[in-house]
Amino acid sequence: MLQYEQATEAAAVIRKHTDRRPEVAIVLGSGLGDLVADLKDAIAIPYAEIPHFARSTVVGHAGRLLIGLLENVPVVVMQGRFHFYEGYALQMITLPVRVMSLLGAKTLIVTNAAGGVNPQYRPGDFMLIRDHINMPGLAGANPLVGANEERFGLRFPPLAHAYDAQLRKLAHSVAQSYPEITLHEGVYTMVAGPSFETSAELRFLRTIGTDAVGMSTVPEVIVARHMQMRVLGLSLITNLATGEETEEVNHTEVLTTADAARPKFANLARGIVRGIANY
Ligand code: 6GU
C-alpha cells in the first residue's frame, strides 16, 4: 500500500477518537514523556490501535499518541517514537509525522536525548538544533528514497533552512525566563545506532562540526520538511560524548539525566507552544 494511503487511513482512525484539530505536533524523546501530564482534555490512542503504525520497543518509550490542549493550544503528541536501530524502515519510522501533518499540524517540535560532543556542553543542558548531519542519509538511508509522493511534497526538497529561525528565536526567549535552563544552539548528528560510537568516531564527528549526537530525529525532520511543516528541534544533553571520556556511556545514564531535566523541559516546551499560538 502507498504511504499516502496508509497515512490517510491512520488519520481517519484518529479522527474518530476526537474532533480536535491539532496545530502543533510534538515528538517526545527518551525520558521526556512527562510533558504529557500538562495536557488538558487529552485522549490517548495506543499505537497498536492505529493502522500501519509500528510499535515502540525501547524502555522509556511508551507508544501512544495523545491529542489535547497544551497551554490552550491543540497539540498532538507522540509519546514514544520509532528508531532506525529497532529495525524499521525509515518510511515506517516517519509515518506518524505524515499522519500528524494530515491531521492539521503545521509545526513540528521534535525532541531527543543526545550526547554532548561539544566539550562546552554539560549533562542537563539543552541544545536547539540549528542544523543536522544525517550520517545514515549520506550513506543512502533517507526516508524519501523511493518513488516521490507528489501529494506530500517535492522530489528534491531543500534542507538548508530546515530548522525554523523564528522558532529558534522564540525558544531562546522562553529559555531566558528560566535561569536554571542552559540552552545552546548547534549541529545534531544522527548515527544509526544501536551501539554507541567509538572514541575515534566521536572525534571524527566533532571534527566535522557535530555539537550533539543521537540516534533519532533527522528522519522525522526530513519528512516534516517534505510536507512543509515548520520544525523546531530540541536536544537534551544527557551525557558527554567528546571521545575523551574515561567512563562508558549507557542507556540508564541517559534516562536518569532526562528524568532530572523533566521539569525544565516541560517549562521550555510549554513556553514555546504558547509562543507559537501567539504568532
Ligand atoms: Cl547516539 N551517543 C552518545 N555517545 N551519547 C548519547 C547518545 C548517542 N544519545 C544519547 N546520549
Side-chain angles (χ1 to χ4, degrees):
M1 188 188 267
L2 289 175
Q3 203 192 21
Y4 187 83
E5 291 163 6
Q6 293 184 335
T8 307
E9 280 188 10
V13 167
I14 294 161
R15 281 195 204 99
K16 281 188 196 139
H17 286 77
T18 175
D19 287 334
R20 232 192 265 298
R21 295 288 167 262
E23 286 166 26
V24 178
I26 305 174
V27 180
L28 295 177
S30 295
L32 296 172
D34 251 47
L35 181 69
V36 165
D38 295 324
L39 291 183
K40 300 278 179 300
D41 291 334
I43 58 132
I45 313 171
Y47 293 156
E49 293 175 19
I50 305 174
H52 314 296
F53 268 44
R55 324 244 172 296
S56 184
T57 64
V58 195
V59 179
H61 294 263
R64 53 191 195 148
L65 200 70
L66 294 111
I67 297 176
L69 293 173
L70 187 63
E71 299 291 304
N72 237 8
V73 180
V75 297
V76 53
V77 178
M78 282 185 76
Q79 189 177 20
R81 63 141 63 80
F82 309 116
H83 301 85
F84 190 52
Y85 62 73
E86 293 175 88
Y88 303 120
L90 289 168
Q91 280 85 355
M92 190 100 177
I93 289 165
T94 53
L95 182 76
V97 176
R98 302 280 190 206
V99 172
M100 293 191 294
S101 174
L102 291 182
L103 289 174
K106 300 275 178 281
T107 304
L108 176 71
I109 300 175
V110 58
T111 68
N112 60 58
V117 177
N118 184 321
Q120 303 195 330
Y121 291 5
R122 294 289 164 262
D125 291 355
F126 291 90
M127 186 192 86
L128 276 174
I129 305 179
R130 184 194 315 119
D131 204 344
H132 75 223
I133 298 174
N134 182 2
M135 293 297 290
L138 293 176
N142 185 302
L144 304 182
V145 165
N148 185 53
E149 175 55 75
E150 297 284 335
R151 287 169 287 188
F152 286 142
L154 298 174
R155 171 71 292 187
F156 300 109
L159 289 179
H161 305 284
Y163 298 87
D164 191 272
Q166 204 185 358
L167 289 177
R168 276 184 275 136
K169 206 168 150 193
L170 166 65
H172 281 300
S173 80
V174 172
Q176 287 202 331
S177 43
Y178 298 99
E180 71 279 17
I181 295 179
T182 302
L183 182 61
H184 306 283
E185 194 172 304
V187 173
Y188 175 88
T189 295
M190 181 196 176
V191 295
S195 48
F196 286 112
E197 312 74 32
T198 65
S199 300
E201 285 166 348
L202 287 175
R203 289 192 300 272
F204 163 72
L205 293 180
R206 203 162 121 189
T207 304
I208 63 172
T210 303
D211 294 299
V213 60
M215 301 175 190
S216 68
T217 302
V218 165
E220 290 108 311
V221 169
I222 292 173
V223 163
R225 290 305 299 151
H226 189 225
M227 302 184 81
Q228 304 207 1
M229 297 173 87
R230 292 198 307 165
V231 173
L232 179 116
L234 184 63
S235 295
L236 167 65
I237 306 301
T238 51
N239 55 282
L240 301 180
T242 62
E244 267 126 56
E245 288 69 41
T246 46
E247 302 272 306
E248 293 265 29
V249 56
N250 64 73
H251 190 55
T252 312
E253 175 188 12
V254 170
L255 292 184
T256 308
T257 309
D259 210 47
R262 252 167 23 193
K264 293 191 225 177
F265 170 73
N267 283 337
L268 258 182
R270 280 201 313 265
I272 291 166
V273 168
R274 211 182 305 128
I276 289 172
N278 293 330
Y279 268 168

